[in-house]
């Protein structure tokens, strides 16, 4: 009689704290529940955006829950760089080879540098591959910057869209902002996007130059940190000299009527 096939492992989507790259960090137990920390501590096989930040995350987890294996023995595989650049939701990348450990019966974890993997971050190709291979996908509880920013914005939380990054070139960015504003004002749909820290000043300047005075603009940065910066005002109010996010902290922007 042949042996029964070994059960497949599961793919856990493990959120990480939002303080990656920030000057300060919140205690990990304040932003991730015990169940998520315990699950992360019990995983030895990882697919990630960045191996260095994943080791730093696991080190923090290990300070509250003993890791199933020491850091040097953790199996950590990075997604290819081109997946980050193109976005693996449409790059055609095949994530199945990354899930070999799950096919052998081991639980695996998927992480990004900050927040929920596969939401405004790489990882969706791995999730698709898991479904295609019959591997169970288990999202864990933790911070998602987009939803925290939306909830704090005072804008429409019943109808919203995340549009990724906006163009870097000033004239292209201005045209895109006008397009998003028109859509938001016509439909009531909140438009959200993210920006890297060093472009925050240029983004705010472009917003104040491009948007109508009565459009509401919400900016959130440093979410879950004591120094969190969350403001939601009309463009006219912003133009009176309100302070925007610094050049060191990622930010989430939202506009609507």
């Amino acid at each position: 009689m042949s042996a029964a096939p070994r059960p497949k492992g599961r793919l856990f989507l493990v959120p990480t704290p939002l303080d990656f790259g920030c000057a300060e960090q919140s205690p990990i137990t304040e932003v991730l529940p015990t169940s998520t920390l315990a699950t992360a501590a019990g995983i030895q096989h990882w697919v990630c955006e960045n191996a260095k930040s994943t080791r730093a995350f696991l080190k923090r987890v290990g300070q509250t829950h003993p890791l199933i294996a020491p850091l040097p023995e953790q199996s950590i595989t990075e997604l290819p760089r081109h997946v980050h650049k193109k976005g693996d939701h449409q790059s055609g990348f095949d994530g199945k080879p990354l899930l070999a450990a799950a096919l052998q019966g081991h639980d695996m974890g998927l992480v990004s540098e900050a927040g929920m993997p596969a939401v405004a971050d790489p990882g969706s190709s791995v999730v698709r591959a898991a479904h295609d291979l019959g591997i169970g996908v288990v999202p864990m509880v933790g911070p998602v910057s987009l939803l925290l920013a939306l909830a704090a914005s005072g804008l429409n939380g019943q109808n919203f869209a995340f549009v990724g990054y906006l163009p870097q070139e000033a004239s292209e960015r201005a045209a895109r902002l006008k397009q998003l504003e028109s859509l938001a004002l016509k439909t009531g749909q909140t438009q959200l996007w993210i920006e890297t820290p060093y472009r925050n000043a240029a983004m705010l300047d472009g917003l104040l130059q491009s948007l109508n005075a009565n459009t509401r603009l919400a900016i959130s940065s440093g979410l879950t940190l004591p120094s969190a910066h969350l403001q939601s005002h009309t463009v006219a109010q912003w133009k009176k000299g309100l302070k925007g996010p610094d050049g060191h902290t990622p930010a989430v922007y939202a506009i609507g009527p």
Side-chain angles (χ1 to χ4, degrees):
M1 182 182 294
S2 60
R6 186 174 183 179
K8 297 173 183 176
R10 294 162 292 176
L11 177 66
F12 287 88
L13 312 185
V14 181
T16 54
L18 299 178
D19 53 24
F20 172 76
C22 298
E24 60 179 327
Q25 291 185 329
S26 295
I28 197 168
T29 52
E30 291 186 3
V31 293
L32 290 176
T34 298
S35 58
T36 297
L37 292 169
T39 297
I43 296 173
Q44 188 175 356
H45 300 271
W46 296 89
V47 178
C48 68
E49 182 178 2
N50 181 285
K52 183 178 179 180
S53 64
T54 299
R55 292 189 188 95
F57 166 64
L58 291 175
K59 183 178 180 180
R60 293 172 72 179
V61 171
Q63 293 169 353
T64 66
H65 292 72
L67 300 180
I68 192 172
L71 282 177
E73 297 177 18
Q74 294 281 339
S75 174
I76 301 174
T77 302
E78 289 185 344
L79 285 162
R81 184 169 177 79
H82 74 270
V83 172
H84 299 188
K85 294 296 184 181
K86 295 182 180 180
D88 59 352
H89 57 288
Q90 59 183 10
S91 67
F93 173 71
D94 183 7
K96 294 185 182 71
L98 302 181
L99 297 171
L103 293 177
Q104 296 168 4
H106 302 286
D107 285 338
M108 298 187 67
L110 176 67
V111 289
S112 65
E113 289 185 318
M116 178 65 78
V119 177
D121 268 318
S124 58
S125 60
V126 181
V127 176
R128 283 198 305 275
H131 287 296
D132 291 344
L133 292 171
I135 294 168
V137 176
V138 185
M140 302 300 294
V141 176
V144 182
S145 62
L146 299 179
L147 294 183
L148 292 173
L150 176 63
S153 71
L155 294 168
N156 189 351
Q158 306 297 319
N159 184 7
F160 56 91
F162 171 62
V163 297
Y165 287 95
L166 271 55
Q168 297 182 33
E169 200 278 322
S171 62
E172 293 180 4
R173 182 174 60 232
R176 179 63 167 146
L177 285 172
K178 285 289 189 182
Q179 180 186 49
L180 294 175
E181 181 184 47
S182 176
L183 180 61
L185 297 180
K186 181 179 179 180
T187 66
Q189 183 183 68
T190 301
Q191 305 296 309
L192 298 106
W193 65 92
I194 53 179
E195 188 53 277
T196 53
Y198 67 91
R199 289 202 291 265
N200 278 333
M203 175 59 72
L204 180 57
D205 184 60
L207 284 160
L208 299 187
Q209 290 185 34
S210 302
L211 300 183
N212 295 326
N214 291 330
T215 294
R216 180 167 288 272
L217 165 63
I219 307 177
S220 301
S221 62
L223 294 167
T224 72
L225 293 172
S227 60
H229 187 81
L230 302 94
Q231 294 193 81
S232 179
H233 306 285
T234 65
V235 169
Q237 291 171 316
W238 277 102
K239 286 183 175 180
K240 293 179 180 179
L242 294 176
K243 182 181 178 182
D246 61 35
H248 308 288
T249 311
V252 179
Y253 295 80
I255 58 172

